[in-house]
Amino acid sequence: MKRSTSLLGLTLLLSPALAFAHPGHEQHAGLLAGLTHPLFGLDHLLAMLAVGLWAAQQSGAARWALPLTFVCSMLVGGLLGFAGVEIPLMETGIAASVLAFGLLVAVAIRLPMAIALSLTALFALTHGVAHGLELPDASSPWGYAIGFVAATAALHGCGYLLVRLLPQAAAPLVRILGAVTALSGAWLLAG
């Protein structure tokens, strides 16, 4: 146990550059830049995987409505970012989304649909504005948007499939992943 705790601590210690820098798309344009943006920002990666994990813990329409709401709201945010619209405390909102989605997965809570969708939309908007504001020079905004939407949907799908394909006995593992995500979100907020 001590070794895994030390490994987690070392990983978190060495990853601050990934938290807010979103490396990997400076040298790319358009679609490729959009695809890499969510994958190389620790905050985006964790939040988007957690949305998929949380959706898979739900029942009924929430299973598809949560990821769909995230993607659509993120796209709206991206368009706002392309227009130069900034929102206050954007990076704080993104870090808070990692914490919140991680906690939601860790406790496997089923919120009323209106609250769950509103929370998801609000956090997705912050992610989208960040994506839009970080449009690389000389990039096609539409290619970039298609890229970050596709990468986000894929990350949601990975989180969802992880939960759905694991045996029921592995449900505590998913909650542990949620707790680790929440701790990462707290660390991002503190930084």
Side-chain angles (χ1 to χ4, degrees), residues 97-170:
S97 75
V98 177
L99 173 62
F101 288 130
L103 286 173
L104 292 167
V105 171
V107 298
I109 193 167
R110 292 185 179 159
L111 297 173
M113 183 74 91
I115 294 171
L117 294 179
S118 297
L119 183 70
T120 300
L122 176 66
F123 284 137
L125 191 70
T126 63
H127 284 270
V129 170
H131 290 325
L133 289 172
E134 295 179 9
L135 174 69
D137 293 335
S139 283
S140 159
W142 293 111
Y144 182 67
I146 290 168
F148 71 69
V149 164
T152 297
L155 288 168
H156 291 335
C158 288
Y160 185 90
L161 287 174
L162 179 67
V163 174
R164 303 308 298 165
L165 296 177
L166 283 174
Q168 189 62 23

Side-chain angles (χ1 to χ4, degrees), residues 105 162 166 169-179:
V105 171
L162 179 67
L166 283 174
L173 176 62
V174 173
R175 289 179 174 220
I176 291 169
L177 288 173

Side-chain angles (χ1 to χ4, degrees), residues 22 34-35 37-55 67 70-71 74 94 97-98 101-102 105 123-124 126-128 130-131 147-160 181:
H22 312 302
L35 284 169
H37 186 92
L39 300 175
F40 292 113
L42 180 65
D43 46 2
H44 294 302
L45 177 73
L46 291 174
M48 293 169 190
L49 282 171
V51 168
L53 295 170
W54 187 42
F70 192 100
V71 169
M74 187 191 62
I94 291 170
S97 75
V98 177
F101 288 130
V105 171
F123 284 137
T126 63
H127 284 270
H131 290 325
F148 71 69
V149 164
T152 297
L155 288 168
H156 291 335
C158 288
Y160 185 90
T181 299

Side-chain angles (χ1 to χ4, degrees), residues 3-21:
R3 179 178 240 207
S4 63
T5 304
S6 298
L7 182 59
L8 174 63
L10 181 61
T11 301
L12 291 175
L13 181 65
L14 295 175
S15 64
L18 292 177
F20 296 114

Side-chain angles (χ1 to χ4, degrees), residues 71-100:
V71 169
C72 291
S73 297
M74 187 191 62
L75 180 57
V76 168
L79 296 175
L80 291 172
F82 292 158
V85 174
E86 293 187 37
I87 55 176
L89 302 171
M90 179 183 63
E91 291 293 344
T92 301
I94 291 170
S97 75
V98 177
L99 173 62

